[in-house]
Amino acid sequence: LFALSDRAILIRTTTLVDIGYYSVAFAIAYPLSLVTETFVQIGFVEISGASSDATSSSLISRRFQMAQMVSVVAALLVLPLVNPIIKYGFGVEFSRATTVAQLLVVVMVLRGLSRTLEFGFRARDISWVTTLSSTLSLCCLVGLGKWLAPTGGVQSFALALLCAEMLGLAIHI
C-alpha cells in the first residue's frame, strides 16, 4: 500500500502538470528499485532455509551489503543521465522534472534496500518489522505529502517521499 500511495496523494494535492512531471521522473527512477530484486529473491530462499538464526542474520546482512553496493553504483550511473534523458527523451518542456527525478533516484535506491531487508525479515518470519515500517512510512508520506505538496508542488512531495523511505529503511535497520 505504501509503495502505491504516492500517486493517490498527488492527485489530491497537486496540479495535473505536476503529476506529469512526477510521471516522467518516476519512469526514469523506478527501474532502480528493481536492481536489488535479485538479492530479494535469492536471499529469501537462502534465509528461509538457513539452519540457525545466526546464519540467517548473517545472510540478511550479506545480502544487504551487496544490495547497497549495487544500488549505489547504479544510482551514480543514472544520476548524471537524468537531465539528458528528460531533455532529449521527453522534451525541454519537462525540464522541471529533473530535480524530482534526481530525488526519486535516491528514493528508489532506498526502496530497493528496504525490500532487501523486508524480505529477509519475512524469510525469518519476523513480519511485524515490515508491517511497522510500511505503516509508519505511509503515515509519514500522507502527513508530509498533504502538508508540503499543495504549497511546494511535486518537488516538495518528492522530499516527503524521500523522508518516508528513509524512515522505512531506518526501521528495518
Side-chain angles (χ1 to χ4, degrees):
L1 185 59
F2 167 60
L4 303 173
S5 62
D6 54 350
R7 287 164 290 269
I9 296 168
L10 276 174
I11 289 169
R12 295 269 188 208
T13 58
T14 63
T15 66
L16 289 175
V17 173
D18 276 348
I19 293 170
Y21 293 140
Y22 185 82
S23 297
V24 167
F26 191 83
I28 294 168
Y30 179 72
L32 283 173
S33 69
L34 302 176
V35 168
T36 59
E37 200 61 32
T38 302
F39 303 108
V40 169
Q41 299 302 323
I42 293 171
F44 185 84
V45 173
E46 262 185 334
I47 293 162
S48 63
S51 58
S52 69
D53 285 345
T55 303
S56 63
S57 294
S58 175
L59 288 169
I60 291 171
S61 178
R62 190 173 329 132
R63 291 289 170 227
F64 184 65
Q65 289 170 348
M66 287 189 289
Q68 284 175 319
M69 288 183 46
V70 170
S71 296
V72 169
V73 168
L76 291 174
L77 291 172
V78 170
L79 280 170
L81 299 174
V82 167
N83 190 36
I85 289 170
I86 291 173
K87 184 177 178 182
Y88 298 114
F90 296 97
V92 178
E93 61 274 8
F94 285 97
S95 293
R96 280 196 48 217
T98 302
T99 303
V100 177
Q102 291 167 338
L103 286 170
L104 288 182
V105 164
V106 177
V107 166
M108 292 304 151
V109 166
L110 296 176
R111 184 170 289 177
L113 293 174
S114 286
R115 281 183 49 83
T116 302
L117 291 174
E118 175 185 343
F119 276 76
F121 286 129
R122 287 184 185 193
R124 287 191 62 199
D125 200 25
I126 309 174
S127 59
W128 69 267
V129 175
T130 62
T131 303
L132 178 67
S133 173
S134 293
T135 303
L136 292 179
S137 295
L138 179 61
C139 290
C140 178
L141 179 61
V142 170
L144 285 176
K146 291 188 90 157
W147 178 54
L148 293 173
T151 57
V154 71
Q155 291 175 338
S156 294
F157 181 79
L159 283 172
L161 187 56
L162 178 61
C163 290
E165 285 293 344
M166 288 185 339
L167 174 65
L169 181 58
I171 291 169
H172 279 120
I173 291 174

